[in-house]
């Protein structure tokens, strides 16, 4: 990895040098982006967004877009990305299962990804200050000194580009202004929660400003990890924890530190250069999971003393018996019985560490032409262990260590040709490498699978894009955009014995195999919008998007080393944006229809590809149609009171399914209902959120603002294959919908520079599941789930200066 990493740094240095040279040769420069809001904008709740690479009022942007500023996030007690999107219609962002480490699953309108593996593309574009973040690992961003978040729903293939078939989520940091301001806040709450945040803004020179921000977060977990034999001393297993509690530790804890700095150089009214750097360290115990089903009588997966894996290891609603190791001994499965297996020790802690630098340069070449250059480099590492059965049994255990770097360069030109025509053209390039080292011990398989993988994954992407916006009439706007993308990915398999040297005898046919994916794609967007009055804007759009193809990253035999093609979507969308009753009611409604082709689904059972045994194979499952409606509103019925909310309904129908994906003979995509019925519908039903607050003015004593938020998450399916009635997957593997309520009351002094807030999340202490991990289909006999956080309280003191 190291030689390629130095190459990435060299590319960044070259890009940065070109940026600096550009500053010297370009006398004119344009400032873009986060302009301060006027008093009228603050009063009316307007947010300025840059979703179309130019500043526009949210209500003037003909896109399905949710924008949330820093004040809204604070009012709702939101501290990370997953908190923000709970209020956005059709958006799902949840922490991934423990098997996928410190990552997230993300989808918009049912399109996205939940697998952290670098062979898979996210399907939802994630951006920090216009810099693409290509992986789901570490992607539940903390809202550290964020100015606003924009959530763009629907394909963004011509605007934000890479792998944004479902949509894009964009973070924008606060810009340094040199005003000498800043803030400091401290939070204390349930289970020794401690959050410290601070930010300060400096003027270093008349044209040079800086801003530095930091965050520190600690909290004990809410799922106990209990020593099984300490709690059940007659079990005959080694005791690792003594004492009356038998608790080894807690899962679902927090251990997060972050630091971010930004330099902003403004040598003239037409030049702006921002250089940012950040560092994140996140160390915590593995995901807060509990065992829901356990049944595998095979002696190959029994505990070290021969205790079978069964329901005795189901601990309870907020505890588990995970051990994070596997013992040495002869394999007791049906094939290669007696094969020696080594003991493996892991760490219950999950570690994620990252740093990155970026340069954003904007230059006004004239009053009507500006150029933007965005250069970035990022590295991260991630280590985590996975106890697949959450018990002293030995169904499966794994160590995982990922090392990643990413470099990107984007250049775009905005031109106002005349009063009627605006044009954007640009180019994009990125290069990426992830090395995925893993030591797996899968004893539920019919053959002994104890092996090391050390797989380098290379990805690069090149694109050119353009958009033209035409206003033939004052009230009428036409938008046409296109993007051409050329992608390459190669994945090299290493399958060695645990000594890291000799070839594994059962997977050796895969060792050294290099799989390559190359693909090109042209996307387009055509939109028309018409402003009927200052209060009403209507628009209609046809747009396309895609998620890149690749090769299955987890083959257990040569037949599973199969590629898969990109999945694509064409979206037909119409919407209306309104500001009614003297701007006391804002109501936005969107309806859409998705024509979805070559859906990528990961199969956990695939005897059709190499016989029985483990499977984790992504394949193109077929074509589907999806329709939905999205509603957002905010109202000010009386002065001081605000009511806001959103709702979305999604309906998914498979049109045809590839028979081989559901275990049948290979053939053309089938519309036979019996074939289609073997797949689940990924996402259907209602998701909604509503919140209300009232600011009571206390005169010289400041103000008090109580707020209540209620969110509804629709039910989610389990595995992609439909569960048989009465099966463990049907009984335990589905994820029911749930409704949560949060409450907060905030006091602010008269100067509004000191606030004290008391919050309660999950007010009614609802027990619910964020996700589930079902390994019954591959023969492990284990099914686990991640319960959400229980009721928690916290008090926050914040001082602005």
């Amino acid at each position: 990895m190291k030689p390629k990493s130095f190459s990435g740094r060299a590319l960044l240095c070259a890009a940065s040098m070109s940026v600096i040279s550009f500053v010297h040769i370009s006398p004119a420069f344009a400032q873009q982006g986060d302009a301060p809001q006027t008093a009228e904008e603050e009063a009316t709740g307007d947010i300025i967004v840059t979703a179309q690479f130019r500043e526009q009022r949210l209500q003037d942007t003909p896109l399905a877009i949710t924008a949330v500023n820093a004040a809204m996030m604070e009012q709702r007690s939101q501290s990370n990305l997953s908190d923000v999107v709970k209020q956005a219609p059709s958006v799902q962002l949840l922490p991934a299962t423990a098997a996928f480490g410190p990552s997230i699953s993300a989808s918009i309108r049912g399109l996205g990804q939940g697998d952290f593996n670098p062979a898979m593309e996210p399907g939802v574009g994630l951006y920090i200050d216009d810099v693409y973040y290509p992986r789901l690992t570490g992607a539940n961003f903390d809202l550290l000194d964020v100015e606003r978040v924009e959530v763009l729903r629907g394909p963004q293939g011509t605007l934000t580009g890479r792998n944004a078939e479902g949509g894009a989520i964009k973070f924008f940091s606060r810009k340094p202004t040199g005003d000498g301001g800043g803030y400091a806040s401290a939070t204390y709450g349930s289970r020794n929660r401690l959050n410290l945040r601070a930010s300060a803004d400096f003027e270093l020179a008349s044209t040079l400003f800086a801003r530095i921000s930091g965050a520190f977060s600690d909290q004990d977990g809410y799922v106990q990890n209990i020593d099984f034999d300490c709690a059940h001393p007659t079990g005959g297993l080694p005791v690792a924890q003594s004492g009356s509690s038998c608790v080894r530790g807690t899962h679902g804890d927090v251990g997060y530190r972050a630091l971010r700095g930004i330099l902003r150089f403004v040598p003239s009214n037409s030049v702006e250069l921002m250089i940012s750097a950040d560092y994140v360290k996140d160390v915590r115990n593995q995901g807060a999971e509990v065992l829901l089903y356990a049944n595998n009588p095979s002696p190959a997966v029994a505990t070290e003393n021969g205790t079978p894996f069964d329901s005795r290891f189901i601990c309870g609603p907020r505890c588990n018996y995970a051990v994070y190791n596997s013992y040495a001994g002869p394999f007791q499965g049906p094939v290669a019985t007696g094969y020696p297996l080594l003991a493996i020790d892991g760490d219950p802690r999950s570690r994620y560490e990252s740093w990155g630098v970026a340069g954003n340069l904007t230059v006004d070449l004239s009053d009507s032409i500006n150029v933007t250059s965005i250069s970035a480099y990022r590295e991260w590492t991630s280590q985590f262990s996975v106890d697949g059965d959450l018990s002293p049994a030995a169904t499966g255990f794994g160590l995982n260590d990922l090392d990643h770097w990413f470099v990107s360069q984007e250049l775009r030109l905005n031109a106002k040709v005349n009063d009627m025509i605006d044009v954007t053209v640009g180019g994009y390039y990125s290069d990426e490498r992830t090395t995925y080292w893993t030591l797996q011990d899968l004893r539920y398989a019919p053959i002994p699978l104890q092996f090391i993988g050390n797989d380098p994954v290379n990805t690069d992407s090149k694109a050119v894009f353009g958009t033209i916006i035409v206003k033939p009439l004052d009230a009428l706007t036409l938008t046409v955009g296109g993007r051409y993308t050329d992608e390459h990915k190669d994945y090299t398999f290493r399958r060695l014995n645990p000594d890291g040297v000799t070839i594994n005898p059962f997977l050796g046919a895969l060792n050294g195999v290099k799989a390559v994916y190359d693909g090109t794609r042209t996307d387009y967007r055509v939109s028309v919008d018409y402003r009927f009055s200052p209060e009403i804007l209507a628009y209609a759009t046809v747009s396309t998007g895609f998620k890149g193809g690749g090769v299955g990253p987890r083959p257990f035999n040569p037949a599973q080393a199969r590629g898969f093609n990109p999945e694509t979507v064409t979206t037909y969308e119409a919407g209306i944006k309104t500001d009614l009753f003297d701007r006391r009611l804002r109501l936005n409604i969107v309806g859409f229809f998705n024509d979805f082709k070559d859906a990528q689904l990961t199969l956990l059972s695939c005897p059709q590809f190499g016989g029985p045994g483990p499977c984790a194979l992504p394949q193109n499952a077929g074509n589907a149609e999806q329709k939905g409606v999205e509603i957002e509103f905010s109202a000010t019925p009386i002065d001081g009171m605000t009511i806001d909310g959103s709702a979305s309904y999604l309906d998914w129908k498979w049109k045809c399914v590839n028979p081989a994906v559901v275990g049948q003979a290979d053939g053309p995509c089938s519309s036979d209902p019996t074939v289609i019925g073997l797949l689940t519908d990924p996402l259907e039903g209602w998701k909604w959120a509503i919140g209300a607050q009232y600011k009571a003015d206390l005169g010289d004593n400041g103000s008090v603002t109580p707020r209540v938020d209620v969110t509804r998450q629709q039910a989610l399916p389990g595995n992609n294959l439909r569960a048989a009635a009465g099966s463990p997957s049907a009984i335990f593997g589905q994820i029911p919908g749930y409704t949560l309520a949060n409450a907060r009351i905030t006091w602010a002094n008269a100067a509004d520079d000191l606030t004290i807030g008391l919050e309660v999340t999950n007010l009614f202490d609802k027990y619910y599941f964020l996700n589930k991990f079902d390994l019954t289909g591959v023969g492990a006999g284990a099914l686990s789930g991640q319960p959400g956080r229980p009721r928690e309280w916290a008090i926050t003191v914040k001082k602005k200066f």
Side-chain angles (χ1 to χ4, degrees), residues 254-292:
V254 177
Y256 181 88
R257 289 91 174 101
L259 186 66
R260 181 175 180 83
I262 301 177
L263 282 174
R264 180 172 173 235
F265 178 52
V266 189
S268 73
N269 289 332
S270 39
V271 174
E272 182 181 72
L273 172 64
M274 284 211 312
I275 298 175
S276 61
D278 64 85
Y279 171 78
V280 173
K281 185 174 184 179
D282 191 345
V283 180
R284 63 185 75 191
N285 286 326
Q286 255 297 10
E289 295 195 328
V290 299
L291 191 62
L292 301 174

Side-chain angles (χ1 to χ4, degrees), residues 1-17:
M1 166 165 176
K2 292 301 180 186
K4 189 69 179 277
S5 181
F6 286 131
S7 173
R9 293 176 184 173
L11 283 171
L12 178 68
C13 290
S16 300
M17 289 302 294

Side-chain angles (χ1 to χ4, degrees), residues 205-280:
S206 61
T207 59
L208 183 63
F209 316 110
R211 191 175 183 95
I212 187 168
S213 309
F216 172 96
S217 301
D218 265 0
Q219 187 178 22
D220 296 337
Y222 60 96
V223 169
Q224 292 184 326
N225 177 221
I226 296 176
D227 186 297
F228 179 80
D229 206 55
C230 173
H232 306 274
T234 60
L237 296 170
V239 177
Q241 177 69 37
S242 61
S244 59
S245 71
C246 299
V247 177
R248 300 186 189 196
T250 59
H251 294 177
D253 56 322
V254 177
Y256 181 88
R257 289 91 174 101
L259 186 66
R260 181 175 180 83
I262 301 177
L263 282 174
R264 180 172 173 235
F265 178 52
V266 189
S268 73
N269 289 332
S270 39
V271 174
E272 182 181 72
L273 172 64
M274 284 211 312
I275 298 175
S276 61
D278 64 85
Y279 171 78
V280 173

Side-chain angles (χ1 to χ4, degrees), residues 69-78 642 644 692-693 695 705-709 742-746 759:
N69 61 26
M72 295 177 182
M73 298 174 206
E74 186 171 348
Q75 291 165 1
R76 297 168 177 170
S77 303
Q78 296 168 341
T642 302
D644 53 71
Q693 68 179 52
K695 184 176 181 179
T705 305
R707 180 177 177 90
V708 176
D709 286 284
N742 299 334
R744 179 184 177 96
I745 185 168
T746 304
E759 66 183 72

Side-chain angles (χ1 to χ4, degrees), residues 507-519:
L507 300 176
L510 290 166
N511 192 64
V513 172
K514 182 177 181 178
V516 177
Y517 163 77
D518 288 290

